[in-house]
Amino acid sequence: MIPDKAPEDDVFHGAEEMRRGAHVPTFDKYKEMYTQSIEDPDKFWGDVAKDFFWKSKHTGRFLDYNFDVTKGEIFIKCMEGASTNICYNVLDRNVHDRKLGDKVAFYWEGNEPGDELTVTYRELLNCVCRFANVLRSQGVTKGDRVAIYMPMVVELVVAMLACARIGAVHSIVFAGFSAESLCDRIVDSQCSLLVTADGFYRGDKLINLKLIADEALQKCTDKGFSLGRCIVLKHLSKEAQETSLSSPPAKRPCPDLQETETGRVRKTRPVPQVPWNPEVDKCWHTLMGDVSDECEPEWCASEDPLFILYTSGSTGKPKGVLHTVSGYMLYTAATFKLVFDHRPDDVYWCTADIGWITGHSYITYGPLANGATSVLFEGLPTYPDVSRMWEIVDKYHVSKFYTAPTAIRLLMKYGSEPVHKYKRDSLKVLGTVGEPINPEAWQWYFTVVGDGRCPIVDTFWQTETGGHVMTPLPAATPMKPGSATFPFFGVVPAILNESGEELEGTSEGYLVFKQPWPGVMRTVYGNHGRFESTYFKKFPGYYVTGDGCRRDKDGYYWITGRIDDMLNVSVREKIGAIATPDFIQDAPALPKTRSGKIMRRVLRKIASGERDLGDISTLADSSVVEQLFHNRCCTAV
Ligand code: WT7
């Protein structure tokens, strides 16, 4: 019998053809560029910055920072003195300077097969300028926070870029979240306006988004915070036919759409209820009809806020992670280009929702900064059947595909047949993000989905890091299934033990970073103390990810999961009686967020038998909670 190889001895090399024309073609080249990025960050990021338009140039050091709480306040500043506009850089510059006006920015694929829309860079720019004027006409000015609660439609991208154009700060709330979560986020960031939609379908299920938004606004009022304006996109209801995108929308022929003359969404199913309060509610389409399509961007300082995004947070109330203009722009652009080895004729598809950081960085900002063509998908991987993903891959000839291990494991259950129904021969690079990918799922993704041809980029990062921090580069890095491999340029990882000592060579401990990269978060909105205590207090001088990590004999990094989720099983003598379990409960599954974080406060409440769990809308699968309560009763008897 041949003994099983340890996963760390399993090494896969990217296909030879990947190397031709690749941005980083070999591992030696990666090492050379990595060293340069650490030794001379000003040169490395200065070269990236040359691709962008700066209204005024930066003065002084490229990155200035303090990571040591014992030496004073934590801060990170990138390109101080420079001014720019990220919306201008991802749209105007592509349309006017790079002549990409007619290039497709998004192929929108609706929940229902056949609902679709193609949007070019010129159309997107036109729409964003108009919506930016709408926001200004509603009194939104630079620095104001705008809450966005929308399904995966092109107008969501339009709304976020319109905010960026006028220097307003977007705060996007995932459309699967409850009224309570939306209210908490609106109040925390004191938003002056909400942009939402009538509703949307998730598979067969109608979500009455406007009803939930109204409930959230009522809750805000109850808490003494009133938000005066709500702009509503009619995505499913009648008026949607006067589509907001520049007319006429470039639509592919689709008999159903033409038959029903309803614009882009089929009318074969019930439309949502849309309660309307004329004092507060304004129709997106009506407002868009009244404004010009020219809009001078607001020139922003490098460190002006760009957006707030709340982390799901396994403990306590969600944190408003704040990202700023210049550093985030450079970092998402550079990581997108190099990690997906972007080429001009690529069709890229990231299946995440824009309500998460993955969508912010790798559906909107990173791809658009590179003039990429992306698929924007409203639906589910299992609707109307489990082949949907591969059908879309073939339909748009997707070459770079980015998804989460949960999606891969879900589809894996149905075997290879639904995958093999489609050719998938356009695929070149596959990506994953969100949690460690187990080697079985990696193998299935590699062999069944990618036919053994496509490198897998296992990208480790966080809402807080803004973009990929540990990741293979598809042509350069030999892959090991389950390992996020090596740091991206400018990122310096270390592994610490409990006493905060840096471990060398083969080791396991806390994953930390020793210096900033341009895209790292700047603060927790409205609570800088919480920023310092969460990420910098435990080990002064380091950014603490909260993840555990192992380094193998070849220097590969393996993320082992959130440290606070691990149970120390050395029980009583070493840890002390206080940490001895009261009882041990059988748990078929744990209450995890969509990114795999265990919600410890929920576990605590289950343990104490408390039924009121508070806001659990971030749970990936809420049925787990019922199961745990059930098992608890069984244990008690
Ligand atoms: C946490 C961040 C980054 C966008 C999605 C989640 C886990 C993320 C990986 C990976 C192992 C991963 C970590 C991290 N994680 N990617 N490739 N391998 N773990 O964003 O909600 O901020 O969660 O997700 O535990 O800390 P998030």
Side-chain angles (χ1 to χ4, degrees):
M1 225 171 72
I2 306 163
D4 277 343
K5 267 192 300 184
E8 61 187 60
D9 291 331
D10 241 351
V11 183
F12 292 77
H13 295 269
E16 191 54 42
E17 67 209 53
M18 268 304 303
R19 298 190 197 283
R20 265 196 301 277
H23 296 299
V24 186
T26 62
F27 196 54
D28 282 341
K29 182 72 186 168
Y30 159 76
K31 286 191 278 191
E32 179 194 318
M33 286 171 69
Y34 180 76
T35 308
Q36 191 220 353
S37 75
I38 304 306
E39 285 175 356
D40 192 356
D42 291 38
K43 163 91 174 70
F44 187 88
W45 295 112
D47 284 347
V48 175
K50 281 186 193 146
D51 270 348
F52 294 90
F53 174 80
W54 304 94
K55 188 76 178 171
S56 64
K57 300 254 180 288
H58 76 283
T59 47
R61 297 223 53 159
F62 204 88
L63 272 166
D64 190 11
Y65 72 102
N66 172 39
F67 264 19
D68 189 341
V69 273
T70 64
K71 296 197 175 130
E73 189 169 304
I74 301 293
F75 72 89
I76 302 109
K77 286 179 184 158
C78 180
M79 298 188 77
E80 264 220 301
S83 63
T84 188
N85 182 285
I86 192 168
C87 173
Y88 181 90
N89 272 293
V90 305
L91 294 180
D92 306 58
R93 190 182 47 115
N94 283 330
V95 173
H96 301 304
D97 306 346
R98 292 170 152 185
K99 310 288 175 231
L100 296 178
D102 294 324
K103 189 173 178 183
V104 174
F106 290 107
Y107 290 114
W108 178 77
E109 171 82 11
N111 176 66
E112 202 63 40
D115 290 346
E116 58 204 357
L117 191 69
T118 298
V119 184
T120 64
Y121 272 87
R122 184 174 295 104
E123 288 168 327
L124 190 61
L125 171 61
N126 176 294
C127 224
V128 166
C129 286
R130 282 157 63 206
F131 197 66
N133 285 329
V134 165
L135 289 174
R136 279 184 174 154
S137 76
Q138 298 300 308
V140 179
T141 58
K142 187 164 183 246
D144 287 352
R145 276 81 53 218
V146 173
I148 304 179
Y149 185 58
M150 291 174 93
M152 285 285 284
V153 291
V154 178
E155 286 84 352
L156 168 53
V157 178
V158 170
M160 68 199 290
L161 291 177
C163 288
R165 192 170 191 87
I166 63 169
V169 182
H170 56 76
S171 173
I172 301 183
V173 180
F174 172 55
F177 280 177
S178 64
E180 175 114 39
S181 316
L182 175 59
C183 161
D184 288 349
R185 287 157 174 77
I186 288 174
V187 174
D188 188 77
S189 49
Q190 303 272 299
C191 296
S192 52
L193 183 140
L194 171 68
V195 188
T196 189
D198 49 358
F200 63 102
Y201 274 94
R202 241 180 109 66
D204 278 323
K205 196 172 163 206
L206 172 65
I207 313 289
N208 280 291
L209 203 65
K210 175 66 164 55
L211 279 183
I212 309 172
D214 280 355
E215 199 187 323
L217 294 191
Q218 184 57 50
K219 283 179 192 292
C220 291
T221 313
D222 296 347
K223 290 186 180 179
F225 180 78
S226 83
L227 182 149
R229 278 274 179 277
C230 179
I231 300 179
V232 186
L233 173 76
K234 289 175 178 161
H235 172 48
L236 295 182
S237 41
K238 195 74 186 149
E239 288 84 340
Q241 60 188 288
E242 316 150 15
T243 175
S244 62
L245 294 159
S246 37
S247 50
K251 226 181 313 173
R252 290 174 169 199
C254 171
D256 281 330
L257 285 171
Q258 281 162 8
E259 235 169 61
T260 55
E261 295 181 283
T262 54
R264 62 189 187 191
V265 174
R266 287 202 234 190
K267 276 303 177 22
T268 48
R269 295 201 284 179
V271 294
Q273 306 170 37
V274 190
W276 204 260
N277 172 0
E279 297 279 298
V280 177
D281 300 325
K282 302 278 160 198
C283 168
W284 171 296
H285 302 281
T286 312
L287 294 172
M288 288 288 268
D290 290 342
V291 289
S292 137
D293 59 8
E294 276 175 33
C295 174
E296 179 64 16
E298 186 80 44
W299 300 106
C300 299
S302 282
E303 288 299 332
D304 278 347
L306 173 63
F307 67 84
I308 300 167
L309 181 61
Y310 288 82
T311 50
S312 34
S314 44
T315 46
K317 90 175 212 238
K319 293 184 281 282
V321 170
L322 185 96
H323 285 285
T324 54
V325 175
S326 297
Y328 180 82
M329 174 168 85
L330 298 184
Y331 202 68
T332 52
T335 45
F336 176 79
K337 175 175 167 183
L338 302 178
V339 173
F340 296 105
D341 192 35
H342 178 68
R343 319 277 178 107
D345 55 354
D346 272 338
V347 177
Y348 162 84
W349 180 21
C350 167
T351 69
D353 194 287
I354 290 178
W356 309 109
I357 190 70
T358 311
H360 281 60
S361 301
Y362 300 112
I363 294 181
T364 301
Y365 292 109
L368 293 178
N370 283 275
T373 295
S374 299
V375 174
L376 181 70
F377 180 43
E378 186 191 26
L380 297 172
T382 49
Y383 180 84
D385 60 56
V386 294
S387 282
R388 184 73 189 274
M389 301 281 232
W390 323 120
E391 182 191 334
I392 297 174
V393 165
D394 277 9
K395 177 174 172 182
Y396 298 106
H397 307 286
V398 171
S399 51
K400 311 282 162 84
F401 178 72
Y402 193 27
T403 196
T406 38
I408 299 164
R409 284 195 299 268
L410 171 76
L411 295 175
M412 213 172 126
K413 288 190 193 149
Y414 300 92
S416 52
E417 196 259 343
V419 187
H420 287 154
K421 270 187 17 205
Y422 292 90
K423 293 210 303 272
R424 296 157 288 107
D425 55 351
S426 52
L427 289 174
K428 294 201 170 93
V429 175
L430 303 175
T432 86
V433 58
E435 58 177 308
I437 180 165
N438 48 314
E440 302 71 44
W442 194 99
Q443 289 288 355
W444 189 83
Y445 198 26
F446 185 72
T447 14
V448 178
V449 175
D451 287 327
R453 291 180 297 108
C454 310
I456 294 183
V457 286
D458 176 351
T459 60
F460 166 82
W461 58 297
Q462 309 175 298
T463 306
E464 295 88 334
T465 68
H468 309 137
V469 280
M470 307 288 292
T471 177
L473 301 181
T477 316
M479 301 160 281
K480 293 192 184 189
S483 167
T485 73
F486 298 102
F488 187 75
F489 304 116
V491 174
V492 186
I495 298 182
L496 305 186
N497 65 13
E498 193 62 50
S499 337
E501 288 150 359
E502 277 189 36
L503 303 175
E504 300 297 328
T506 315
S507 48
E508 183 163 351
Y510 291 85
L511 176 66
V512 299
F513 295 113
K514 298 169 71 159
Q515 61 185 52
W517 54 94
V520 68
M521 74 183 284
R522 301 301 199 258
T523 192
V524 169
Y525 186 78
N527 196 345
H528 197 66
R530 190 159 178 216
F531 173 59
E532 296 184 327
S533 61
T534 310
Y535 306 99
F536 296 94
K537 206 166 136 201
K538 190 172 174 68
F539 300 120
Y542 301 94
Y543 166 89
V544 181
T545 60
D547 286 292
C549 182
R550 185 165 66 80
R551 188 168 40 220
D552 73 15
K553 59 182 184 346
D554 303 318
Y556 280 68
Y557 290 85
W558 301 72
I559 310 297
T560 52
R562 306 292 304 165
I563 292 220
D564 52 9
D565 292 342
M566 285 175 207
L567 184 68
N568 195 327
V569 289
S570 60
V571 266
R572 197 176 175 110
E573 275 139 65
K574 270 198 190 152
I575 303 183
I578 200 150
T580 339
D582 292 329
F583 63 90
I584 291 177
Q585 170 173 346
D586 172 34
L590 290 170
K592 289 190 183 182
T593 66
R594 289 173 44 130
S595 61
K597 290 178 185 163
I598 299 173
M599 291 183 85
R600 295 156 64 78
R601 91 183 142 77
V602 171
L603 280 181
R604 264 195 303 276
K605 292 200 170 176
I606 294 172
S608 63
E610 195 181 326
R611 277 271 164 185
D612 178 14
L613 299 178
D615 179 16
I616 53 164
S617 57
T618 60
L619 277 182
D621 176 5
S622 53
S623 70
V624 168
V625 169
E626 277 317 308
Q627 268 185 53
L628 289 175
F629 269 119
H630 176 77
N631 285 12
R632 185 177 189 282
C633 300
C634 300
T635 321
V637 208

